[in-house]
Amino acid sequence: MKILLTGSTGYIAQRLLPVLLEHKHQVVCCVRNKNRFDAEKFAGFDLEVIEVDFLKKESLVHIPADIDVAYYLMHSMSSGINDFSQAELLTASNFKHSVERTNAKQVVFLSGIVNSEVLSKHLLSRLNVEESLKSDVYGLTTLRAGIIVGSGSASFEIIRDIIEKLPVMIAPKWLNTRCQPIGIRDVLHFLEGVLMKDYALNKAFDIGGPEVITYKNMLLRFAKVRGLKRRIFIVPVMTPKLSSYWLYFVTSTSYSLACNLVESMKVDVVAKPNQLQEKLGIEAMTYEESIRLAFGKIEQNQVISSWRDAMNNDAYPDSFKKLIEIPQEGCFKDVRSMKVDDPERVLHNIWSIGGSTGWYYADWLWDIRGLIDKLFGGVGLQRGRTNSDRLSTGSVIDFWRVILADRQNRRLLLYAEMKLPGEAWLEFKIDKENIFMQTATFRPLGIAGRLYWYSVLPFHAFIFKGMMKNIALYHQLEKPVVKI
C-alpha cells in the first residue's frame, strides 16, 4: 500500500513511520525541508521524501497521484502564529484539494476529543479541520485522542517537569478537569489498524485509555510511579494568564503552547464509547503502564521523537538551509582551535553536549543565561535534548537548534533560539589534521546588538576557553577536568 505521511518531522509521524515501513508499506514523507529528515536510518525500506509546504499551493505538485491512503498529522498549536486556527484551516483545505487529485481512498486524521459543550480554541480548531477534510472523493477516518503519554510527548514531558521540580504545588482549579490519557503505543496501533477498513471510512472514533482521571490525579499517580511524594493545593484565584506563566516558567514548554494547553485543560476530554478497540483487538495500557514504558525508553536512550524538536517555521521564514552558511561580514567571532590526539572521543563529546551532559564548563553561568532568556520570553535551557548522544539536523539542544549534524565530516553547527539582539551560531568541527575548532559567531542587530556582545565578552573569554578544553579532555563517566 502506498501511503502519504504528513507532519513527517513531528512527534506522532516519527513514531508511526517505522511501524508503517515494518509492515511493508511504501511511504511518501512530506517535509518542508529535506535537510531536517534523516532518511538514511530507513535504508532498505520503500521510502520517498518530498518537499511540500501545505501553506503554499505551488509546492503541492510534488505529491504523487498513485497514493492509496494519506495521514493528516499536522497542527499549528505550538507555533508562533497568533491565529493558528486560520493557518490550520488553510493547511487542511490545501491538503484536501491536493489529495482529491490522487487515487487515495482514505485519509486518516488524528484529532482531539471534542465532546464538551464548550470547546477551547485548540479543540474547536481541530473540529473545524475535521469538517474541512471531509470529502466525496475519499473516506475520512478521524481518531480523536486526549492526553497522549509517551517518552518525548508534550504532555509527558510537562508533567515530568512539574513532578520532578516541585515537591509542593499551588495549582489552578483546572487540575480538577477530567481527562482520559492514552499511551503512544496504543495510538500507533489505532492509526495503523484503521488502514483501509471499510467500517472506519467516513467515521470518527474517540480513543482513550481504560481510565478517566483528573489532571491532579495524573500528577499524583505520575509521582507515585517515580517514587516521589508530592502535595498539590488547588486555589481558585489563578487566572488563565497567570496559569500560563506558571506553566511556562516551571516546565520546558513555550509560552504560546502553555496558553493553548491551559485553555484546553479547562475542558473535559473524555472519550465516548465505541467498538473500534474491540474490532482492532487493542487492549489499551493503563496510565501507569504508559509511564513505565516511557521511562524504559528514556533509560535505554531510545526516544524516537520529541515535541521539543518540532520547529516553529515562522522563526525561519526564508530558508532553514541558508543558516548553514555562516555570515562573515558585520559579525563578531570567538575562534579557538587545538590539536587533539583522540578525535573520535572528542567527536563523541561534541555530539553529547547540552541536556543532562551540560556545557562542559561553568554550567551555572549557562543556567543563569537560560533563566534570563525565560524572563524575556525565550525558550530557556529547560528543553534539554531528545537523546543523550544522537543528533540530527533540526534537533533541539537546550536553547540551540541543530542546523547541521554531519558526523562523517565531523562538523556540528548550532543556531541560537534564545532571545538576542541579533543572531548567533556555535560551530564545532575537527579537520583532517585533527585540529579541533570551536567558533562562536554573533551578527548584531543595531546598537543593542553591539552593546550586548561587548557586555558578555568578558564571560566568553573564559567560558568558551574552558568549554573547548573540557570537550577535548573529557572522558565518558568522568567529570570535566579543566579549571580556569
Side-chain angles (χ1 to χ4, degrees), residues 125-417:
S125 178
R126 295 278 83 188
L127 184 59
N128 291 335
V129 167
E130 181 181 334
E131 291 297 318
S132 179
L133 290 174
K134 290 180 179 178
S135 171
D136 295 328
V137 178
Y138 56 75
L140 176 65
T141 300
T142 303
L143 299 177
R144 298 170 176 166
I147 297 292
I148 297 177
V149 183
S151 55
S153 74
S155 14
F156 176 86
E157 296 298 340
I158 288 170
I159 292 172
R160 181 185 180 188
D161 279 345
I162 293 172
I163 290 301
E164 293 184 353
K165 292 176 182 176
L166 301 176
V168 179
M169 286 165 263
I170 305 298
K173 58 184 179 181
W174 48 256
L175 254 65
N176 288 325
T177 303
R178 298 182 307 152
C179 61
Q180 193 168 350
I182 181 172
I184 180 61
R185 177 177 291 183
D186 293 327
V187 173
L188 298 178
H189 287 161
F190 279 109
L191 285 169
E192 197 273 335
V194 297
L195 278 175
M196 297 304 289
K197 297 292 193 300
D198 290 338
Y199 58 78
L201 299 179
N202 298 310
K203 297 284 181 60
F205 304 93
D206 290 352
I207 59 174
E211 307 155 288
V212 176
I213 56 180
T214 65
Y215 287 109
K216 178 181 177 179
N217 195 237
M218 280 183 66
L219 292 170
L220 292 175
R221 289 168 70 173
F222 192 103
K224 184 178 179 181
V225 170
R226 298 299 290 160
L228 301 170
K229 292 184 178 181
R230 295 294 182 256
R231 299 290 298 275
I232 301 175
F233 299 96
I234 295 178
V235 296
V237 295
M238 292 187 74
T239 65
K241 188 172 184 178
L242 189 59
S243 298
S244 299
Y245 278 118
W246 177 82
L247 201 60
Y248 168 65
F249 280 107
V250 171
T251 73
S252 56
T253 185
S254 65
Y255 180 69
S256 60
L257 181 56
C259 290
N260 290 316
L261 286 173
V262 166
E263 189 181 5
S264 295
M265 286 177 177
K266 294 185 290 183
V267 178
D268 282 343
V269 282
V270 179
K272 286 183 179 178
N274 59 70
Q275 301 299 313
L276 184 61
Q277 184 171 327
E278 288 75 16
K279 288 183 177 181
L280 296 179
I282 296 172
E283 185 176 349
M285 295 183 293
T286 65
Y287 176 56
E288 281 88 349
E289 288 172 339
S290 299
I291 296 171
R292 293 189 183 96
L293 178 63
F295 274 103
K297 295 292 185 183
I298 292 170
E299 290 163 4
Q300 297 171 37
N301 199 27
Q302 292 181 349
V303 181
I304 298 174
S305 62
S306 171
W307 74 276
R308 296 183 179 100
D309 294 328
M311 188 171 64
N312 176 10
N313 289 281
D314 300 333
Y316 305 90
D318 296 325
S319 174
F320 192 69
K321 302 175 186 177
K322 291 182 180 179
L323 296 174
I324 295 176
E325 300 297 327
I326 304 175
Q328 302 300 318
E329 302 298 327
C331 294
F332 296 111
K333 289 181 179 288
D334 182 286
V335 182
R336 301 177 188 274
S337 64
M338 65 184 296
K339 179 83 172 181
V340 294
D341 298 325
D342 189 349
E344 286 306 312
R345 175 170 55 80
V346 175
L347 192 65
H348 171 81
N349 293 341
I350 292 171
W351 248 249
S352 303
I353 199 167
S356 59
T357 301
W359 291 85
Y360 294 102
Y361 184 74
D363 278 351
W364 62 276
L365 285 175
W366 288 93
D367 291 338
I368 292 173
R369 183 62 183 88
L371 178 60
I372 293 172
D373 192 51
K374 273 279 188 179
L375 291 173
F376 282 89
V379 295
L381 285 178
Q382 292 173 309
R383 294 190 301 183
R385 51 181 291 168
T386 301
N387 297 102
S388 63
D389 58 2
R390 297 197 303 274
L391 292 174
S392 59
T393 299
S395 298
V396 157
I397 304 178
D398 297 329
F399 45 38
W400 299 90
R401 178 75 62 174
V402 177
I403 299 300
L404 179 68
D406 187 348
R407 191 147 191 167
Q408 183 176 354
N409 291 308
R410 306 194 293 191
R411 183 188 178 201
L412 178 67
L413 178 62
L414 310 179
Y415 180 75
E417 291 190 329

